[in-house]
Amino acid sequence: MTAATARETVGTDPMVPRLFRVVHTRRDTRDTHTLVLEPTDGVPLPFRPGQFTMLHSFGVGEVPISISGDPAHPEVLEHTIRNVGAVTASLVAAQPGTILGVRGPFGTGWEVGDGKGGDVVFVAGGIGLAPLRPAILEVIAQRSRYGRVVLLYGSRTPEDLLYADDLRAWARDGGVRVETTVDNGPPGWTGRVGFVTDLVPRAGFNPVTAFAHICGPEVMMRAVATALRDRGVSGTRLRLSMERNMKCGIGLCGHCQLRELFVCVDGPVFDHDRIGPLLSKWEL
Amino acid sequence: MQTIEELLRAHPFFDDFDPATVALLAGCATSVRFAPGEVIFREAEPADAFYVLQSGRVALQVHHPAGGALVTSTVEHDEVLGWSWLVPPYRWTADAVAVAETNAVRFAAGCLRGTCADDPAVGYVFLRKIAQVLAHRLASANRRLLDLYGGGDRP
Ligand SMILES: Cc1cc2nc3c(=O)[nH]c(=O)nc-3n(C[C@H](O)[C@H](O)[C@H](O)COP(=O)(O)OP(=O)(O)OC[C@H]3O[C@@H](n4cnc5c(N)ncnc54)[C@H](O)[C@@H]3O)c2cc1C
Ligand code: FES
């Protein structure tokens, strides 16, 4: 093996992180921040909406985080991260200039293009809007190829709604019907209060042509999937993104195993037909 | 301008009622409009009405011991407001405040109760529909109680 091919092999080894520099950070909510990263070697990282990377905070650890940026701009890598523990705390604290390790992108995508010609329904709960954002941007970029496009989004409180500017822009210029709801409303709140499933009956889509993409906590996804299937959306047109603890991200270690499935390579995005039976058994 | 009977027939709550029953029930109803901020009813007051919403949004609020009102759910077009008129002690269990300009059909509770008592078949359909609304609201409230999106106490 020549030195050049050896370097190439190292460069493409899925277990070896590439180095990315944080170029911009944004506080989205009180516990959630978006990091914009650029590769230190200048080589873009193309990805499919729905895929994730293993994001490494040196000296702390590595966690799976979905890519939340625009697939049309692979020269920047965006991640929206909620602070729930040691690694995510260190990631959300990263400042411009910080170097992080990135492996991936890994896993299956939403493949929203399968739904061209029909309606598209996105349903997000909490941080679940982050993995859907690239898919929404992909649909908006080719808006005329789709029928009605609806985003149903539930969060804990109005302050926890992610991407407020995007939500406004998608509704105003992107041809997306955006419906939001919160679990409870503070005094003076004039928006909607209720669970995200409450939005399904009034979403206005054709269940026969629609593809639905759901992301959020499993209990929420199960409830939404049931509501959509009751409306007539078939299990092969209904996709959801699963989360399990991960270590390797490439189907070697078994950490993410869900029965016969490895969430890191068979997922994270699955058809409801495939994952639905496991959802109900493993949910709680 | 649509008659009350037409408004009711176009509303999903009345899908399961036959036209003659809708015509009968329309006799208990009037059209109403609420401005944003207008109080429709208050907790503990006698529940003397049932509302079928045509447009707008109404917030159901409870008072927080620490002060201020917490919005526990909202009701919109194609939905109905108020079930306390149907069961003793006929008192509202929350405040209802219009948060947008709201058009509705208001039924007088006494008239509705009388119609349901006179014709148990109508009463049964009404009860079944209200039970459906309540079951849906309970499921929604239970799921929200789980605090699925979590993290309220995080910095
Ligand atoms: C495919 C995939 C995509 C993901 N995308 C994102 C994303 O875009 N943004 C984001 O913020 N997070 C995302 N996550 C979740 C993220 O990986 C975890 O929050 C992270 O691993 C927690 O690590 P930690 O060291 O900070 O916390 P830990 O110390 O490992 O855990 C702290 C607490 O969080 C709980 N926890 C750990 N992992 C999860 C989880 N996956 N879901 C819910 N609770 C968990 C633990 O039970 C514990 O109570 C994704 C996970 C997967 C599998
Ligand atoms: S994370 Fe190792 S097999 Fe999936």
Short mmCIF file of all heavy atoms in Angstrom, two decimals, chain A residues 54-104:
data_model
loop_
_atom_site.label_atom_id
_atom_site.label_comp_id
_atom_site.label_asym_id
_atom_site.label_seq_id
_atom_site.Cartn_x
_atom_site.Cartn_y
_atom_site.Cartn_z
N MET A 54 -21.94 10.84 13.89
CA MET A 54 -21.46 10.64 15.25
C MET A 54 -20.58 11.85 15.54
O MET A 54 -19.56 12.06 14.88
CB MET A 54 -20.66 9.34 15.36
CG MET A 54 -21.47 8.07 15.12
SD MET A 54 -22.86 7.82 16.26
CE MET A 54 -22.03 7.54 17.82
N LEU A 55 -21.03 12.67 16.47
CA LEU A 55 -20.38 13.95 16.74
C LEU A 55 -19.54 13.81 18.00
O LEU A 55 -20.06 13.41 19.05
CB LEU A 55 -21.48 15.00 16.91
CG LEU A 55 -21.13 16.48 16.80
CD1 LEU A 55 -20.41 16.79 15.49
CD2 LEU A 55 -22.42 17.30 16.88
N HIS A 56 -18.26 14.16 17.86
CA HIS A 56 -17.29 13.88 18.92
C HIS A 56 -16.82 15.17 19.57
O HIS A 56 -16.28 16.05 18.90
CB HIS A 56 -16.09 13.13 18.31
CG HIS A 56 -15.26 12.43 19.31
ND1 HIS A 56 -15.05 11.06 19.27
CD2 HIS A 56 -14.61 12.87 20.39
CE1 HIS A 56 -14.29 10.71 20.29
NE2 HIS A 56 -14.00 11.80 20.97
N SER A 57 -17.06 15.27 20.87
CA SER A 57 -16.49 16.38 21.62
C SER A 57 -15.24 15.82 22.29
O SER A 57 -15.35 14.97 23.19
CB SER A 57 -17.52 16.87 22.67
OG SER A 57 -16.92 17.82 23.51
N PHE A 58 -14.08 16.28 21.86
CA PHE A 58 -12.84 15.64 22.30
C PHE A 58 -12.66 15.75 23.82
O PHE A 58 -12.88 16.80 24.41
CB PHE A 58 -11.64 16.24 21.55
CG PHE A 58 -11.67 15.87 20.09
CD1 PHE A 58 -11.96 16.82 19.12
CD2 PHE A 58 -11.46 14.56 19.68
CE1 PHE A 58 -12.02 16.46 17.77
CE2 PHE A 58 -11.52 14.19 18.34
CZ PHE A 58 -11.80 15.14 17.38
N GLY A 59 -12.34 14.61 24.41
CA GLY A 59 -12.14 14.55 25.85
C GLY A 59 -13.44 14.30 26.61
O GLY A 59 -13.44 14.09 27.81
N VAL A 60 -14.56 14.34 25.91
CA VAL A 60 -15.85 14.12 26.59
C VAL A 60 -16.54 12.86 26.05
O VAL A 60 -16.86 11.95 26.81
CB VAL A 60 -16.79 15.35 26.45
CG1 VAL A 60 -18.02 15.18 27.33
CG2 VAL A 60 -16.06 16.63 26.79
N GLY A 61 -16.77 12.82 24.75
CA GLY A 61 -17.41 11.63 24.19
C GLY A 61 -18.07 11.91 22.86
O GLY A 61 -18.00 13.03 22.33
N GLU A 62 -18.72 10.86 22.35
CA GLU A 62 -19.29 10.92 21.01
C GLU A 62 -20.76 10.50 21.05
O GLU A 62 -21.10 9.52 21.72
CB GLU A 62 -18.50 9.95 20.13
CG GLU A 62 -18.79 10.04 18.68
CD GLU A 62 -18.07 8.94 17.88
OE1 GLU A 62 -18.16 7.75 18.27
OE2 GLU A 62 -17.46 9.27 16.87
N VAL A 63 -21.63 11.25 20.35
CA VAL A 63 -23.06 10.91 20.34
C VAL A 63 -23.62 11.04 18.92
O VAL A 63 -23.09 11.82 18.12
CB VAL A 63 -23.88 11.83 21.28
CG1 VAL A 63 -23.62 11.49 22.74
CG2 VAL A 63 -23.63 13.30 21.00
N PRO A 64 -24.71 10.27 18.64
CA PRO A 64 -25.35 10.43 17.33
C PRO A 64 -26.22 11.69 17.32
O PRO A 64 -27.00 11.90 18.25
CB PRO A 64 -26.23 9.17 17.22
CG PRO A 64 -26.48 8.74 18.63
CD PRO A 64 -25.32 9.21 19.45
N ILE A 65 -26.08 12.50 16.30
CA ILE A 65 -26.90 13.71 16.15
C ILE A 65 -27.31 13.83 14.69
O ILE A 65 -26.47 13.71 13.79
CB ILE A 65 -26.12 15.00 16.56
CG1 ILE A 65 -25.64 14.93 18.03
CG2 ILE A 65 -26.97 16.25 16.33
CD1 ILE A 65 -26.70 15.05 19.10
N SER A 66 -28.60 14.05 14.46
CA SER A 66 -29.09 14.17 13.09
C SER A 66 -28.57 15.45 12.45
O SER A 66 -28.35 16.44 13.14
CB SER A 66 -30.62 14.23 13.09
OG SER A 66 -31.13 13.07 13.67
N ILE A 67 -28.45 15.42 11.16
CA ILE A 67 -28.05 16.63 10.43
C ILE A 67 -29.31 17.49 10.24
O ILE A 67 -30.34 16.98 9.80
CB ILE A 67 -27.41 16.27 9.09
CG1 ILE A 67 -26.19 15.36 9.34
CG2 ILE A 67 -27.00 17.53 8.32
CD1 ILE A 67 -25.58 14.77 8.09
N SER A 68 -29.21 18.77 10.61
CA SER A 68 -30.40 19.62 10.53
C SER A 68 -30.26 20.68 9.45
O SER A 68 -31.13 21.53 9.31
CB SER A 68 -30.69 20.27 11.88
OG SER A 68 -29.61 21.11 12.26
N GLY A 69 -29.17 20.64 8.67
CA GLY A 69 -28.93 21.69 7.68
C GLY A 69 -29.57 21.40 6.33
O GLY A 69 -30.35 20.46 6.17
N ASP A 70 -29.19 22.25 5.37
CA ASP A 70 -29.79 22.21 4.04
C ASP A 70 -28.98 21.25 3.16
O ASP A 70 -27.79 21.48 2.95
CB ASP A 70 -29.76 23.63 3.46
CG ASP A 70 -30.53 23.74 2.15
OD1 ASP A 70 -30.78 22.69 1.51
OD2 ASP A 70 -30.86 24.87 1.76
N PRO A 71 -29.62 20.21 2.63
CA PRO A 71 -28.87 19.25 1.80
C PRO A 71 -28.27 19.90 0.56
O PRO A 71 -27.33 19.35 -0.04
CB PRO A 71 -29.91 18.19 1.43
CG PRO A 71 -31.24 18.82 1.67
CD PRO A 71 -31.05 19.86 2.72
N ALA A 72 -28.80 21.07 0.16
CA ALA A 72 -28.26 21.76 -1.02
C ALA A 72 -26.94 22.46 -0.68
O ALA A 72 -26.28 22.99 -1.56
CB ALA A 72 -29.28 22.77 -1.55
N HIS A 73 -26.58 22.50 0.60
CA HIS A 73 -25.34 23.18 1.02
C HIS A 73 -24.47 22.26 1.87
O HIS A 73 -24.30 22.47 3.07
CB HIS A 73 -25.67 24.47 1.79
CG HIS A 73 -26.28 25.50 0.92
ND1 HIS A 73 -25.55 26.25 0.03
CD2 HIS A 73 -27.57 25.89 0.77
CE1 HIS A 73 -26.36 27.05 -0.63
NE2 HIS A 73 -27.59 26.85 -0.21
N PRO A 74 -23.90 21.22 1.24
CA PRO A 74 -23.09 20.25 2.00
C PRO A 74 -21.76 20.83 2.47
O PRO A 74 -21.05 20.17 3.22
CB PRO A 74 -22.87 19.12 0.99
CG PRO A 74 -22.99 19.76 -0.34
CD PRO A 74 -23.94 20.90 -0.20
N GLU A 75 -21.45 22.06 2.07
CA GLU A 75 -20.18 22.66 2.51
C GLU A 75 -20.27 23.10 3.97
O GLU A 75 -19.24 23.34 4.61
CB GLU A 75 -19.77 23.83 1.60
CG GLU A 75 -20.65 25.06 1.63
CD GLU A 75 -21.97 24.93 0.83
OE1 GLU A 75 -22.25 23.85 0.28
OE2 GLU A 75 -22.72 25.93 0.80
N VAL A 76 -21.50 23.22 4.48
CA VAL A 76 -21.64 23.47 5.92
C VAL A 76 -22.45 22.33 6.54
O VAL A 76 -23.33 21.77 5.89
CB VAL A 76 -22.33 24.81 6.26
CG1 VAL A 76 -21.44 25.99 5.96
CG2 VAL A 76 -23.66 24.93 5.55
N LEU A 77 -22.10 22.01 7.74
CA LEU A 77 -22.79 20.92 8.45
C LEU A 77 -23.50 21.54 9.65
O LEU A 77 -22.87 22.20 10.48
CB LEU A 77 -21.74 19.90 8.92
CG LEU A 77 -22.23 18.75 9.78
CD1 LEU A 77 -23.19 17.85 8.99
CD2 LEU A 77 -21.04 17.93 10.28
N GLU A 78 -24.82 21.33 9.71
CA GLU A 78 -25.57 21.91 10.83
C GLU A 78 -26.12 20.81 11.73
O GLU A 78 -26.63 19.79 11.24
CB GLU A 78 -26.75 22.74 10.31
CG GLU A 78 -26.39 24.17 10.02
CD GLU A 78 -27.61 24.97 9.58
OE1 GLU A 78 -28.53 25.16 10.40
OE2 GLU A 78 -27.62 25.40 8.42
N HIS A 79 -26.01 21.06 13.03
CA HIS A 79 -26.58 20.13 14.00
C HIS A 79 -27.34 20.94 15.04
O HIS A 79 -26.83 21.95 15.53
CB HIS A 79 -25.47 19.35 14.70
CG HIS A 79 -24.90 18.22 13.89
ND1 HIS A 79 -25.67 17.22 13.37
CD2 HIS A 79 -23.63 17.94 13.52
CE1 HIS A 79 -24.90 16.36 12.72
NE2 HIS A 79 -23.66 16.78 12.79
N THR A 80 -28.53 20.48 15.39
CA THR A 80 -29.31 21.14 16.44
C THR A 80 -29.34 20.17 17.62
O THR A 80 -29.79 19.03 17.48
CB THR A 80 -30.72 21.47 15.94
OG1 THR A 80 -30.58 22.32 14.81
CG2 THR A 80 -31.54 22.16 17.02
N ILE A 81 -28.83 20.63 18.76
CA ILE A 81 -28.53 19.70 19.85
C ILE A 81 -29.23 20.14 21.13
O ILE A 81 -29.14 21.30 21.55
CB ILE A 81 -27.01 19.66 20.10
CG1 ILE A 81 -26.31 19.26 18.80
CG2 ILE A 81 -26.66 18.69 21.22
CD1 ILE A 81 -24.86 19.69 18.75
N ARG A 82 -29.91 19.20 21.75
CA ARG A 82 -30.55 19.47 23.03
C ARG A 82 -29.66 18.95 24.15
O ARG A 82 -29.22 17.79 24.12
CB ARG A 82 -31.92 18.81 23.06
CG ARG A 82 -32.63 19.07 24.32
CD ARG A 82 -34.12 18.81 24.19
NE ARG A 82 -34.62 18.73 25.54
CZ ARG A 82 -35.12 17.66 26.09
NH1 ARG A 82 -35.27 16.56 25.38
NH2 ARG A 82 -35.50 17.68 27.34
N ASN A 83 -29.44 19.78 25.12
CA ASN A 83 -28.57 19.45 26.24
C ASN A 83 -29.29 18.53 27.22
O ASN A 83 -30.18 18.96 27.95
CB ASN A 83 -28.16 20.77 26.92
CG ASN A 83 -27.39 20.54 28.21
OD1 ASN A 83 -27.06 19.42 28.57
ND2 ASN A 83 -27.10 21.63 28.89
N VAL A 84 -28.92 17.22 27.18
CA VAL A 84 -29.56 16.28 28.12
C VAL A 84 -28.54 15.58 29.01
O VAL A 84 -28.92 14.89 29.95
CB VAL A 84 -30.39 15.19 27.38
CG1 VAL A 84 -31.54 15.79 26.60
CG2 VAL A 84 -29.53 14.32 26.49
N GLY A 85 -27.25 15.70 28.72
CA GLY A 85 -26.24 14.97 29.51
C GLY A 85 -24.85 15.48 29.19
O GLY A 85 -24.68 16.53 28.58
N ALA A 86 -23.85 14.65 29.58
CA ALA A 86 -22.47 15.13 29.53
C ALA A 86 -22.03 15.57 28.13
O ALA A 86 -21.52 16.68 27.94
CB ALA A 86 -21.54 14.04 30.05
N VAL A 87 -22.24 14.69 27.14
CA VAL A 87 -21.70 15.01 25.81
C VAL A 87 -22.48 16.16 25.16
O VAL A 87 -21.89 17.11 24.62
CB VAL A 87 -21.71 13.76 24.89
CG1 VAL A 87 -21.13 14.10 23.53
CG2 VAL A 87 -20.92 12.62 25.53
N THR A 88 -23.80 16.08 25.24
CA THR A 88 -24.59 17.15 24.61
C THR A 88 -24.35 18.49 25.32
O THR A 88 -24.35 19.54 24.68
CB THR A 88 -26.09 16.80 24.57
OG1 THR A 88 -26.49 16.32 25.86
CG2 THR A 88 -26.38 15.74 23.53
N ALA A 89 -24.09 18.45 26.65
CA ALA A 89 -23.79 19.70 27.37
C ALA A 89 -22.51 20.32 26.82
O ALA A 89 -22.43 21.53 26.60
CB ALA A 89 -23.65 19.44 28.87
N SER A 90 -21.52 19.46 26.57
CA SER A 90 -20.26 19.98 26.07
C SER A 90 -20.44 20.49 24.64
O SER A 90 -19.85 21.51 24.25
CB SER A 90 -19.20 18.90 26.21
OG SER A 90 -18.47 18.74 25.06
N LEU A 91 -21.27 19.82 23.84
CA LEU A 91 -21.48 20.27 22.45
C LEU A 91 -22.21 21.62 22.40
O LEU A 91 -21.82 22.51 21.64
CB LEU A 91 -22.28 19.21 21.68
CG LEU A 91 -21.53 17.92 21.34
CD1 LEU A 91 -22.48 16.86 20.79
CD2 LEU A 91 -20.41 18.17 20.33
N VAL A 92 -23.26 21.77 23.23
CA VAL A 92 -23.99 23.05 23.14
C VAL A 92 -23.15 24.21 23.68
O VAL A 92 -23.41 25.37 23.38
CB VAL A 92 -25.37 23.02 23.85
CG1 VAL A 92 -26.29 21.97 23.26
CG2 VAL A 92 -25.24 22.85 25.36
N ALA A 93 -22.12 23.87 24.47
CA ALA A 93 -21.25 24.93 25.01
C ALA A 93 -20.13 25.31 24.03
O ALA A 93 -19.38 26.25 24.27
CB ALA A 93 -20.64 24.47 26.33
N ALA A 94 -20.02 24.56 22.91
CA ALA A 94 -18.93 24.83 21.96
C ALA A 94 -19.03 26.24 21.40
O ALA A 94 -20.13 26.72 21.10
CB ALA A 94 -18.98 23.81 20.83
N GLN A 95 -17.89 26.89 21.29
CA GLN A 95 -17.83 28.26 20.78
C GLN A 95 -17.24 28.25 19.38
O GLN A 95 -16.55 27.29 19.00
CB GLN A 95 -16.94 29.11 21.70
CG GLN A 95 -17.50 29.31 23.09
CD GLN A 95 -18.85 30.00 23.08
OE1 GLN A 95 -19.05 30.98 22.38
NE2 GLN A 95 -19.82 29.45 23.82
N PRO A 96 -17.48 29.30 18.58
CA PRO A 96 -16.83 29.38 17.27
C PRO A 96 -15.32 29.15 17.42
O PRO A 96 -14.71 29.70 18.34
CB PRO A 96 -17.15 30.80 16.81
CG PRO A 96 -18.46 31.11 17.46
CD PRO A 96 -18.39 30.43 18.81
N GLY A 97 -14.79 28.34 16.54
CA GLY A 97 -13.36 28.01 16.61
C GLY A 97 -13.12 26.62 17.19
O GLY A 97 -12.09 26.00 16.92
N THR A 98 -14.04 26.11 17.98
CA THR A 98 -13.88 24.78 18.58
C THR A 98 -13.80 23.72 17.47
O THR A 98 -14.54 23.78 16.48
CB THR A 98 -15.10 24.44 19.49
OG1 THR A 98 -15.24 25.47 20.44
CG2 THR A 98 -14.93 23.09 20.18
N ILE A 99 -12.92 22.76 17.65
CA ILE A 99 -12.80 21.66 16.69
C ILE A 99 -13.56 20.44 17.24
O ILE A 99 -13.37 20.04 18.40
CB ILE A 99 -11.31 21.27 16.47
CG1 ILE A 99 -10.52 22.46 15.93
CG2 ILE A 99 -11.20 20.06 15.53
CD1 ILE A 99 -10.87 22.87 14.51
N LEU A 100 -14.43 19.89 16.42
CA LEU A 100 -15.17 18.68 16.79
C LEU A 100 -14.86 17.58 15.78
O LEU A 100 -14.48 17.87 14.64
CB LEU A 100 -16.68 18.96 16.78
CG LEU A 100 -17.19 20.04 17.73
CD1 LEU A 100 -18.68 20.30 17.48
CD2 LEU A 100 -16.98 19.63 19.20
N GLY A 101 -15.03 16.33 16.22
CA GLY A 101 -14.86 15.21 15.32
C GLY A 101 -16.21 14.79 14.74
O GLY A 101 -17.22 14.83 15.45
N VAL A 102 -16.20 14.40 13.48
CA VAL A 102 -17.46 14.00 12.83
C VAL A 102 -17.24 12.69 12.08
O VAL A 102 -16.33 12.59 11.25
CB VAL A 102 -17.92 15.09 11.82
CG1 VAL A 102 -19.11 14.60 11.01
CG2 VAL A 102 -18.27 16.38 12.53
N ARG A 103 -18.05 11.69 12.38
CA ARG A 103 -18.07 10.46 11.57
C ARG A 103 -19.42 10.38 10.87
O ARG A 103 -20.43 10.76 11.42
CB ARG A 103 -17.86 9.22 12.45
CG ARG A 103 -16.48 9.17 13.08
CD ARG A 103 -16.17 7.80 13.66
NE ARG A 103 -17.03 7.44 14.78
CZ ARG A 103 -17.88 6.40 14.78
NH1 ARG A 103 -17.99 5.62 13.71
NH2 ARG A 103 -18.60 6.13 15.85
N GLY A 104 -19.41 9.87 9.67
CA GLY A 104 -20.67 9.75 8.96
C GLY A 104 -20.66 10.58 7.69
O GLY A 104 -19.58 10.99 7.25
#
